[in-house]
Amino acid sequence: MSVNYVGLALVLNCGSSSVKYQVVDTTQDEPLASGLIERVTHHGDAIRAIISQLSEPGSGVDLERLTVVGHRVLHGGEEFSGPTVVNDSVEKHIAMLSPLGPLHIPANLAGISSARAAFPHLPHVAVFDTAFHATLPEAAYTYAIDRRVAHEHGVRRYGFHGTSHSYVSRETARLMDRPIEDVSMIVLHLGNGASACAIQGGRSVDTSMGLTPLEGLVMGTRSGDIDPAVTLHLARTAGMTIDEVDALLNRQSGMLGLTGYSDMRDVRSAADSGSRDAQVGLEVYCRRIRGYVGQYFAQLGALDAITFTAGVGENDDAVRLSSLSGLEALGIVMDPERNSGRKKQATLVSADDSAVQVWVVPTNEEREIALQSIAAVS
Ligand SMILES: Nc1ncnc2c1ncn2[C@@H]1O[C@H](COP(=O)(O)OP(=O)(O)O)[C@@H](O)[C@H]1O
Ligand SMILES: CC(=O)OP(=O)(O)O
Ligand SMILES: [Mg+2]
């Protein structure tokens, strides 16, 4: 996406319990305003609070100058594969995708409708987490289940965190001073949710999240990959309902289930104080990442870069080091000194003799949503 478009965007990232926002002027590197409202119960209230904050004199923002409102939307299904200007019919289509994102989509929609009510004269653009993965080859998005059932119910891999993978991959190529068309890389987005993405020439060719953001890496509260028969076993032998299994895998698993903590800072300090559960939890977490790196290296056939991003990827040096340990035979050699510490800025963390460059690049989903929203209405 070109950054040549000029405009002023309010970006809303409405999660299940939080609203993140930024006001982005594309001519400036830093947002004019940004913030996070946590423990949100009514998204309408949160958005009205944000607007009244931004309306205060001295907020640094002139709301009259806004050109667009950009919204993060979790799932675009097969319907939406690019940034989409919202109207009533688009809202309805997004609502129909709610079963694929019961935590995220109702929140996304509440944000869209309150913001449309507050700014009825502005265009609103939905930017989908799934859109960047519209380029997945058929063999990468197809699950090996009965074709008719899959087709009838839209069962396929979609992939998520697309705005992050898109932004971070472009930044990595720029930092390497190479045209993105020539670069093969793996982006590891390790936040609360976590996903890996194999990117060839700027296009997503494989990713670890699937029909929903449950598959793949170990996350804060989500299991990632398990034998699908675990769900059947729990239903049949433990008598758990579908909703109970859903809550178990989405909210009570991952690092929380393994260690009692979903936040990596807490897991880390528990491990440092000798908790065996926390130590094993970290091994499970890093081993899964290492496995995806090997798998995507094999699928790509060549690898120029690996990039860590998001809360854990940017801040936890031990996770970075341990995830890529033992991969020297693949040409992946970390430099422990470069890697050490939290990274607020893009940093090369591999050794000079590493065939594969390893980077930490802070993600900026809100800026990417702003750029895509402005481009969509320009
Ligand atoms: N200093 C740190 N060390 C280790 N992990 C951290 C640190 N700071 C943040 N994190 C991790 O980052 C996670 C949040 O990542 P983030 O990308 O903000 O996620 P999300 O956007 O999904 O809320 C937290 O749950 C925490 O585990
Ligand atoms: C898609 C997804 O998992 O999003 P988040 O990391 O914000 O939970
Ligand atoms: Mg996130």
Side-chain angles (χ1 to χ4, degrees), residues 48 64 81 109 122 178 199 227 248 270 280 350 374:
R48 277 185 288 279
E64 299 289 310
S81 55
L109 283 169
L122 286 178
R178 289 182 55 180
I199 298 165
D227 180 346
L248 174 80
V280 173
S350 51
I374 289 165

Side-chain angles (χ1 to χ4, degrees), residues 72 74 104 129 160-161 189 192-194 209 213 222:
R72 180 186 180 200
L74 179 83
H104 294 82
D129 253 51
F160 298 86
H161 292 136
H189 176 111
N192 212 350
M209 282 178 166
R222 291 170 244 172

Side-chain angles (χ1 to χ4, degrees), residues 11-170:
V11 175
L12 295 171
N13 181 348
C14 290
S16 49
S17 65
S18 71
V19 177
K20 290 185 196 167
Y21 69 93
Q22 275 191 17
V23 179
V24 176
D25 178 337
T26 46
T27 63
Q28 299 183 27
D29 288 340
E30 295 298 320
L32 299 184
S34 65
L36 164 70
I37 301 191
E38 287 178 290
R39 285 183 268 278
V40 167
T41 44
H42 296 288
H43 288 79
D45 295 346
I47 284 167
R48 277 185 288 279
I50 290 168
I51 293 169
S52 85
Q53 256 171 31
L54 294 174
S55 310
E56 300 271 316
S59 74
V61 176
D62 179 2
L63 289 176
E64 299 289 310
R65 285 185 46 238
L66 281 182
T67 49
V68 67
V69 184
H71 299 267
R72 180 186 180 200
V73 179
L74 179 83
H75 214 308
E78 288 189 306
E79 204 70 35
F80 305 110
S81 55
T84 304
V85 177
V86 177
N87 56 29
D88 292 348
S89 137
V90 169
E91 265 193 65
K92 252 187 228 132
H93 272 101
I94 296 171
M96 280 162 27
L97 294 164
S98 279
L100 296 179
L103 293 181
H104 294 82
I105 293 176
N108 301 157
L109 283 169
I112 290 175
S113 66
S114 329
R116 283 183 81 197
F119 300 104
H121 56 291
L122 286 178
H124 291 252
V125 176
V127 176
F128 299 93
D129 253 51
T130 47
F132 181 63
H133 306 294
T135 53
L136 288 178
E138 191 172 359
Y141 71 68
T142 301
Y143 290 120
I145 64 171
D146 185 306
R147 273 197 178 282
R148 285 162 306 172
V149 174
H151 187 255
E152 191 174 335
H153 299 284
V155 176
R156 50 159 286 180
R157 176 182 310 289
Y158 286 99
F160 298 86
H161 292 136
T163 53
S164 179
H165 289 303
S166 161
Y167 174 84
V168 166
S169 56
R170 233 182 25 246

